[in-house]
Amino acid sequence: MNAFFRTWIWPVAVFLAVILGWAGACQLFKIPPYILPGPIAVLNAVIERRENLWFAFRVTAFEAAGGYVLSIVAGIIIALFFAQSAAIRRSLYPYTILLQTVPIVAIAPLILMWFGSGTRSVMLVAFIICLFPIIANTTQGLISVPRNLVDLFIMSNASKMQMLLDLRLPHAVPNLFIGLRISGGISVIGAITGELFASSNAVGQGGPWLFDHLCQQPASDRLPVRPGADGQRPGFPLLFPRGLLRMAAAAQMA
Amino acid sequence: MINPHPASTTADGQTARSTPGPPFITLRDVTKTWPNGTTVLSQIQMDVAKGDFISLIGPSGCGKSTLLRLISGLSPMSTGFIQIDGMIPENAREIMSFIFQDATLLPWRTVSRNVELGLELQGGETRTGRSAKARELLKLVGLESVADHYPRQLSGGMKMRVSIARALAIRPKILLMDEPFGALDEMTRDFLNEEVLRLREVDKFTTFFVTHSVSEAVFLSNRIMVLKANPGQIHREIQVPFPNPRVASLRSAPEFLSLVGEVSSALRAVKSQK
Ligand SMILES: Nc1ncnc2c1ncn2[C@@H]1O[C@H](COP(=O)(O)OP(=O)(O)OP(=O)(O)O)[C@@H](O)[C@H]1O
Ligand SMILES: [Mg+2]
């Protein structure tokens, strides 16, 4: 009981402090609700639109989880392949880094253009953003087995398969978990980015139009985060810096 | 594959040594040159009888670990040849076990499952058979009580004993040990030295033992090879005449101490050479 109390007291205290600070700031500086509504207003909006939000939450969670699970399966298979030889790694690793360095907002419109704006495409966006951390961490774990352990297995005349299943894979589990933790978080970012473009229905319509459209249209039901009681205000121009959208628009034109 | 256990050679070390015929292990002109051109071992000759306990001692970097890796076939030699019970090293792995300085236990396996590893990889033994053997060996090294623990729960000395039990599980005829007790305190090291000798009475394995401790080498071996560096060569062989079984009190006997002195001075000579 005491331990339970000690674990929870501080996070709860911080939560309450932030909420109180938020409500206080709204009151004190007389912030108009369309800039920053108070916590009560937000809570009301959530309750009022709970069905919409719950539906949106389920859709996004499904897309994020789907992309995540796919990336785990594919990532482990690719990592096992990469672990086979340094030549394979040298020739293919640069392209997986490409996955990581090209901004997902630049790829997402393309994916939606190619595969349509359904759940599948959004899942694919989440999948792509999740893939690299899984590949990179698992591969690292598979190839970083200490030489003495490898020698131990060689001395036992272990087959390549035994080496993989009884040594490399179990050794890579902690690294795999690091990858899982990173990808678990960003899968949601991937899904939301995908939804951003899927919901706009602007794919293939040209960059400038997309930009204006995104800034003027109300958020659709597919967008899970809709701050403010004022439902007519689009949520994402506040959430996503305009630069990002411009980048996406540029990618569309290219 | 050649049967590594022909019935005629299963007699223990003592009788095998007196029988004429080819030595158990032969090294001829063994030379190792790294790809960058440096020669780490040059023209090593050695004849090893069954049951020999050979210590390799010499300055750091003289190639002791490399020599063990050549004998075990983990690393190819450049020229020369090594024959182990009539086989090339790569084919003799079934009768060899390697014990590394760090215990190299698999952290995701229990102590008992670590001991089973060699048997498991070789196949040809049921799960229950393996675990029975593992228990037996853990009993032999006095660790039955921690059979179901994980390596992280053990002290350094206990880990080393598990590593020894694992090496012995496949009933090796040859044991290769690379500074196995280098990281342990002196008391634990002395204790494990006695343990190794006791286990050797049971299994009669032939041993190559790399160490930096002169007294450890004298206590354990019947032959000590003092190596010199650049390139690695056998500078001098020193015979240790003490009979087996040896007991702890040997360490304070005058003959023991004078032999320790002799090996130490050989080592000093080798170190001052370069
Ligand atoms: N894979 C390698 N490639 C090139 N040089 C190597 C390699 N492995 C070891 N060496 C070199 O070979 C020499 C002998 O190394 P080795 O590990 O056999 O020495 P050692 O006698 O065991 O030393 P220590 O007592 O410090 O363990 C060293 O100079 C080392 O730098
Ligand atoms: Mg060494």
Side-chain angles (χ1 to χ4, degrees):
Chain A
M1 184 61 209
N2 203 5
F4 178 82
F5 186 71
R6 263 203 307 265
T7 313
W8 288 100
I9 179 82
W10 292 111
V12 168
V14 168
F15 179 78
L16 290 177
V18 168
I19 297 290
L20 283 176
W22 173 13
C26 286
Q27 287 279 322
L28 197 64
F29 304 115
K30 303 205 171 10
I31 302 173
Y34 57 85
I35 302 251
L36 180 67
I40 308 279
V42 170
L43 186 66
N44 278 336
V46 168
I47 292 168
E48 200 178 298
R49 293 157 192 277
R50 61 188 174 279
E51 270 163 34
N52 265 348
L53 286 175
W54 175 238
F55 173 74
F57 170 81
R58 278 190 344 236
V59 171
T60 305
F62 175 68
E63 290 159 347
Y68 182 51
V69 170
L70 282 179
S71 76
I72 295 169
V73 174
I76 291 176
I77 291 172
I78 293 171
L80 286 173
F81 179 62
F82 278 12
Q84 298 309 307
S85 92
I88 294 176
R89 285 194 293 283
R90 262 199 302 277
S91 32
L92 295 178
Y93 206 68
Y95 301 102
T96 63
I97 291 175
L98 217 63
L99 269 183
Q100 177 76 345
T101 46
V102 176
I104 193 70
V105 285
I107 310 174
L110 285 176
I111 289 173
L112 291 155
M113 189 162 67
W114 292 335
F115 301 101
S117 61
T119 306
R120 230 181 16 175
S121 298
V122 176
M123 215 178 255
L124 194 59
V125 174
F127 166 78
I128 286 174
I129 203 173
C130 287
L131 193 56
F132 181 79
I134 306 271
I135 295 178
N137 285 287
T138 311
T139 304
Q140 185 57 34
L142 288 170
I143 65 174
S144 65
V145 178
R147 191 178 78 164
N148 283 351
L149 286 181
V150 175
D151 287 346
L152 181 74
F153 272 63
I154 294 175
M155 287 302 290
S156 300
N157 289 321
S159 66
K160 229 176 147 79
M161 206 57 182
Q162 286 174 322
M163 195 85 97
L164 195 61
L165 294 181
D166 293 334
L167 180 61
R168 292 192 190 279
L169 263 184
H171 182 266
V173 166
N175 297 70
L176 172 62
F177 270 94
I178 294 172
L180 292 183
R181 209 164 54 212
I182 297 171
S183 291
I186 61 179
S187 67
V188 180
I189 296 177
I192 292 175
T193 310
E195 284 175 344
L196 203 59
F197 293 97
S199 317
S200 71
N201 287 322
V203 176
Q205 305 256 2
W209 185 85
L210 171 83
F211 177 72
D212 290 345
H213 182 81
L214 281 176
C215 292
Q216 285 159 13
Q217 286 291 307
S220 84
D221 286 346
R222 299 285 295 284
L223 198 74
V225 185
R226 301 216 284 166
D230 180 3
Q232 289 316 106
R233 285 198 61 81
F236 39 80
L238 290 175
L239 287 177
F240 290 85
R242 280 168 182 243
L244 269 185
L245 292 175
R246 257 188 232 284
M247 210 145 62
Q252 277 284 298
M253 285 191 290
Chain B
M1 165 117 214
I2 310 157
N3 176 12
H5 307 277
S8 59
T9 58
T10 51
D12 71 38
Q14 264 58 40
T15 51
R17 200 179 307 183
S18 54
T19 46
F24 187 47
I25 300 168
T26 312
L27 283 74
R28 283 286 170 274
D29 303 323
V30 172
T31 298
K32 173 78 181 182
T33 305
W34 296 116
N36 66 16
T38 50
T39 298
V40 58
L41 290 169
S42 164
Q43 304 282 317
I44 303 279
Q45 324 282 352
M46 220 187 276
D47 284 316
V48 180
K50 247 188 176 180
D52 268 355
F53 198 115
I54 295 176
S55 281
L56 304 170
I57 197 162
S60 182
C62 71
K64 304 179 293 292
S65 299
T66 306
L67 185 57
L68 283 200
R69 290 175 60 81
L70 295 185
I71 295 171
S72 60
L74 286 172
S75 171
M77 64 199 126
S78 307
T79 57
F81 97 120
I82 297 178
Q83 201 172 45
I84 296 165
D85 203 7
M87 293 176 276
I88 61 166
E90 284 84 349
N91 292 342
R93 286 192 186 124
E94 282 172 36
I95 61 166
M96 288 194 271
S97 277
F98 207 123
I99 297 179
F100 303 90
Q101 171 165 4
D102 46 337
T104 60
L105 302 179
L106 306 179
W108 56 87
R109 281 176 174 244
T110 62
V111 165
S112 167
R113 296 255 299 131
N114 262 289
V115 175
E116 286 174 41
L117 182 72
L119 299 168
E120 196 179 315
L121 292 175
Q122 282 183 355
E125 179 108 45
T126 62
R127 221 201 146 106
T128 45
R130 287 202 302 266
S131 97
K133 264 197 182 158
R135 300 274 152 173
E136 191 186 311
L137 276 149
L138 284 171
K139 199 168 164 182
L140 203 63
V141 297
L143 284 178
E144 330 154 66
S145 58
V146 295
D148 295 320
H149 286 43
Y150 282 87
R152 62 172 180 276
Q153 297 169 284
L154 308 184
S155 71
M158 287 159 99
K159 281 186 199 154
M160 211 58 233
R161 273 146 78 197
V162 176
S163 183
I164 293 172
R166 177 179 62 193
L168 295 181
I170 63 157
R171 289 276 127 106
K173 293 187 183 178
I174 300 161
L175 208 52
L176 304 162
M177 301 203 239
D178 194 354
E179 293 183 54
F181 310 135
L184 304 178
D185 63 276
E186 199 175 334
M187 231 163 70
T188 313
R189 177 190 279 238
D190 284 353
F191 171 74
L192 288 177
N193 284 171
E194 288 145 36
E195 190 108 323
V196 165
L197 287 187
R198 186 171 63 77
L199 294 169
R200 183 164 163 267
E201 288 305 306
V202 181
D203 261 21
K204 307 281 185 208
F205 38 79
T206 306
T207 314
F208 288 88
F209 190 91
V210 173
T211 180
H212 283 285
S213 158
V214 174
S215 67
E216 183 175 63
V218 174
F219 185 71
L220 292 173
S221 350
N222 64 326
R223 300 167 70 187
I224 298 174
M225 307 284 177
V226 181
L227 271 68
K228 73 171 211 38
N230 303 317
Q233 275 174 330
I234 298 175
H235 167 74
R236 200 181 143 193
E237 177 179 343
I238 296 170
Q239 303 277 339
V240 183
F242 311 127
N244 290 320
R246 298 176 186 178
V247 287
S249 59
L250 176 66
R251 288 201 185 88
S252 43
E255 316 88 271
F256 182 88
L257 296 172
S258 79
L259 206 53
V260 167
E262 191 181 337
V263 176
S264 299
S265 72
L267 206 52
R268 268 198 306 280
V270 160
K271 277 177 181 161
S272 62
Q273 256 179 31
K274 53 171 182 178

